[in-house]
Amino acid sequence: MGEVRAELAILEGWGRARRSASVTLTPDSVVDVAGCFANPRAHGLIAHAAGRAYGDCALNDQGSALMTAGLAGIVAFDPDTGIVQVEPGVNFRQLMAEFLPRGFLVPVTPGTGFATIGGAVANDVHGKNHESAGSFGQHVTELDLLTPDGVLRTIGPAPLYPSDEAELFRATCGGLGLTGVITRVAFRMPRVAGPAVRVRVQRIPDLDAFLAALDAAAGATYAVGWIDGTARGAALGRGILETAEPVQGRAPVPRGGLRVPVDFPGWVLSPLSIRAFNEVYFRHVPAGGRTRIAHVGKFFYPLDAIRGWNRIYGKRGFHQFQNVVPFAGGAAALRELLEVIGQSQRASFLAVLKRLGGGIVPPAEAGHLSFAQPGYTLALDFPAGPGIEDLYARLVAITLRHGGRVYLAKDALLDPAAFRQMYPRWAEFRGVLEAVDPKRRLQSDISRRLRLRQAA
Ligand SMILES: Cc1cc2nc3c(=O)[nH]c(=O)nc-3n(C[C@H](O)[C@H](O)[C@H](O)COP(=O)(O)OP(=O)(O)OC[C@H]3O[C@@H](n4cnc5c(N)ncnc54)[C@H](O)[C@@H]3O)c2cc1C
């Protein structure tokens, strides 16, 4: 057995609008994780990996945070099945560097390669291919979970796993780290021809045209839209749509690039400068669009080229609002959301619109708190500051009215009542927590804020 280092630290979500004082526990190996449940603090413990969740799901003020990013070993790989087994701190960059040269690619990836596989399961992340590939957890064949009673359980999806294990698996995919600490994940990686994708970029003048283009791109392997959150009137919902298809051939490997060295002062991101930036960005794509060959890593992770980009929002940080609204009525919902956002003059330039599908497993087998459901998903960054709670509440109200939900990985502002309306399987999730963690040793800022352990 190795050592578990304990230190006092202030941890942040990626948005930096939430900070928490915790005792960080850093085990040297996965066998030492069990020791982290000894000597519980009043606020218990939560796993904290690469800290790429924007809100407070990896934070635990006045409690412990189990730092997993260093547990980054690749345990096994079977080239015949494509199944890889990894420790939880392995990240998407590492997997790409290791396996893309051998002709394998992760089935699903979020928009940053720094996120870990443990985090990808606990937030059940989606990528730019959700309609065809579903969420990350839907590719997991089994995983090891250390529950607070000290038992290491191997769990996985039905029908391969018995009902208790399958139920714990459903609670763990998207379960925000509250069912236990994931110590090993096995998932299947599909074969690819190589690192190249053909990327088609289109400039789209307004929301109706954008949704029509996005719908027409539903058969593309990857699709993602950038939306100008500052546009109003006839230009409301204008943006740039990118689709990509894997192709044979070579592509230049993306380079590390820039680093943001300091917190930017507030005036850098004034409404005026953001509007000006968005105008230039919108027009950098020629009216007839453009096609290029790119490395898939550059297409997946455009923001990773700028290390520490979250510092551009200054010391106060920012919030990301991400929701999904059903396709039926989705256009009206997005119009309402974008009108409120445009009027607020608070949107930053980072704004994404995608389609999500129904997943690749039956809905009843999906994670209890998994975010993705069929519909349009909109994600926007807003600098933190006075009035942000009101704006967020208005966006939440519109989302609820249209039968949508907010993504908990991005959230730091939702309230318990809205959460329960958005996530109707919360009671099933809570039931699993009561069974595996009756002493409430696993807790986090989000579990307390959304009262995830409280009945009705
Ligand atoms: C630039 C950027 C783009 C992004 N794009 C997307 C996107 O396209 N799609 C998407 O779905 N998400 C996206 N995200 C969100 C991000 O991918 C997820 O929040 C992901 O879970 C972060 O992983 P992490 O390793 O940083 O985990 P952390 O942020 O450290 O933790 C996230 C959650 O996972 C839990 N956790 C971590 N490790 C373990 C473990 N070993 N056992 C149990 N629980 C664990 C934590 O307790 C916490 O609840 C993006 C984030 C950024 C910064």
Side-chain angles (χ1 to χ4, degrees):
M1 296 273 272
E3 210 191 317
V4 175
R5 286 191 311 284
E7 281 165 297
L8 276 174
I10 305 291
L11 296 177
E12 302 175 329
W14 186 247
R16 303 179 72 221
R18 290 287 175 270
R19 297 189 171 94
S20 289
S22 302
V23 174
T24 60
L25 303 173
T26 310
D28 282 340
S29 76
V30 286
V31 286
D32 298 323
V33 169
C36 298
F37 281 114
N39 309 319
R41 289 160 60 87
H43 273 182
L45 173 117
I46 197 70
H48 184 103
R52 257 52 182 192
Y54 284 65
D56 56 1
C57 66
L59 304 182
N60 192 15
D61 198 36
Q62 309 303 317
S64 303
L66 172 50
M67 311 304 280
T68 63
L71 307 174
I74 293 171
V75 179
F77 177 61
D78 179 349
D80 293 330
T81 60
I83 291 182
V84 62
Q85 299 182 44
V86 298
E87 290 182 349
V90 163
N91 70 23
F92 286 89
R93 286 163 66 90
Q94 202 180 335
L95 288 168
M96 185 173 280
E98 181 80 22
F99 293 107
L100 193 53
R102 296 157 77 175
F104 292 89
L105 185 65
V106 284
V108 167
T109 177
T112 173
F114 291 102
T116 68
I117 298 303
V121 174
N123 280 162
D124 198 12
V125 300
H126 58 274
K128 299 176 174 76
N129 58 351
H130 186 264
E131 287 201 287
S132 58
S135 56
F136 188 85
Q138 300 182 348
H139 296 267
V140 172
T141 52
E142 67 173 27
L143 60 81
D144 289 342
L145 184 75
L146 186 76
T147 45
D149 51 11
V151 177
L152 187 67
R153 297 160 200 256
T154 300
I155 59 175
L160 287 179
Y161 282 79
S163 61
D164 282 359
E165 279 82 353
E167 179 71 349
L168 185 51
F169 182 74
R170 286 189 286 274
T172 300
C173 291
L176 308 170
L178 292 166
T179 58
V181 178
I182 298 161
T183 58
R184 181 185 62 98
V185 182
F187 60 96
R188 199 184 304 274
M189 292 203 292
R191 279 191 175 276
V192 283
V197 282
R198 181 184 295 114
V199 183
R200 170 95 189 121
V201 186
Q202 286 168 262
R203 192 165 103 184
I204 319 267
D206 59 41
L207 183 62
D208 287 340
F210 207 113
L211 296 183
L214 206 52
D215 294 348
T221 304
Y222 302 108
V224 58
W226 168 81
I227 280 268
D228 179 356
T230 64
R232 297 160 77 170
L236 186 90
R238 72 174 182 176
I240 294 170
L241 177 64
E242 285 195 357
T243 52
E245 296 300 330
V247 288
Q248 302 267 0
R250 296 156 69 88
V253 177
R255 278 180 290 144
L258 308 165
R259 169 181 286 278
V260 176
V262 289
D263 294 330
F264 277 21
W267 55 263
V268 175
L269 291 191
S270 71
L272 210 64
S273 64
I274 290 169
R275 259 213 318 277
F277 176 89
N278 281 7
E279 179 67 26
V280 172
Y281 189 67
F282 178 69
R283 304 220 172 263
H284 91 281
V285 173
R290 185 167 59 208
T291 301
R292 66 173 195 275
I293 299 293
H295 191 282
V296 68
K298 198 167 176 192
F299 173 73
F300 281 165
Y301 312 126
L303 287 169
D304 285 357
I306 308 169
R307 293 283 175 106
W309 62 260
N310 56 348
R311 301 186 72 174
I312 61 174
Y313 293 93
K315 285 201 174 68
R316 275 185 180 161
F318 66 104
H319 289 277
Q320 182 168 100
F321 171 83
Q322 181 173 0
N323 72 354
V324 54
V325 288
F327 291 123
L334 289 171
R335 189 169 295 283
E336 260 188 82
L337 290 161
L338 289 170
E339 273 165 5
V340 169
I341 289 162
Q343 281 156 16
S344 77
Q345 302 207 18
R346 283 169 169 273
S348 90
F349 46 82
L350 288 169
V352 170
L353 184 61
K354 290 187 284 205
R355 283 172 62 101
L356 298 179
I360 57 166
V361 302
E365 296 304 331
H368 298 145
L369 298 191
S370 286
F371 163 69
Q373 63 177 22
Y376 298 111
T377 178
L378 177 69
L380 282 110
D381 290 354
F382 299 100
I388 184 67
E389 282 86 358
D390 292 345
L391 173 62
Y392 200 89
R394 289 183 71 191
L395 303 179
V396 164
I398 296 170
T399 304
L400 270 175
R401 203 156 16 83
H402 288 272
R405 58 166 60 137
V406 160
Y407 190 10
L408 301 177
K410 309 291 179 76
D411 169 68
L413 293 170
L414 201 64
D415 63 74
F419 160 72
R420 286 181 181 189
Q421 283 184 67
M422 290 175 174
Y423 288 89
R425 296 174 75 192
W426 66 267
E428 282 170 75
F429 178 69
R430 181 181 168 273
V432 174
L433 298 191
E434 290 298 302
V436 294
D437 184 19
K439 293 189 178 147
R440 303 189 178 185
R441 286 185 166 178
L442 286 162
Q443 291 186 35
S444 60
D445 288 357
I446 201 171
S447 78
R448 291 184 290 271
R449 175 167 59 86
L450 296 181
R451 304 202 189 114
L452 296 181
R453 297 303 303 266
Q454 255 168 38

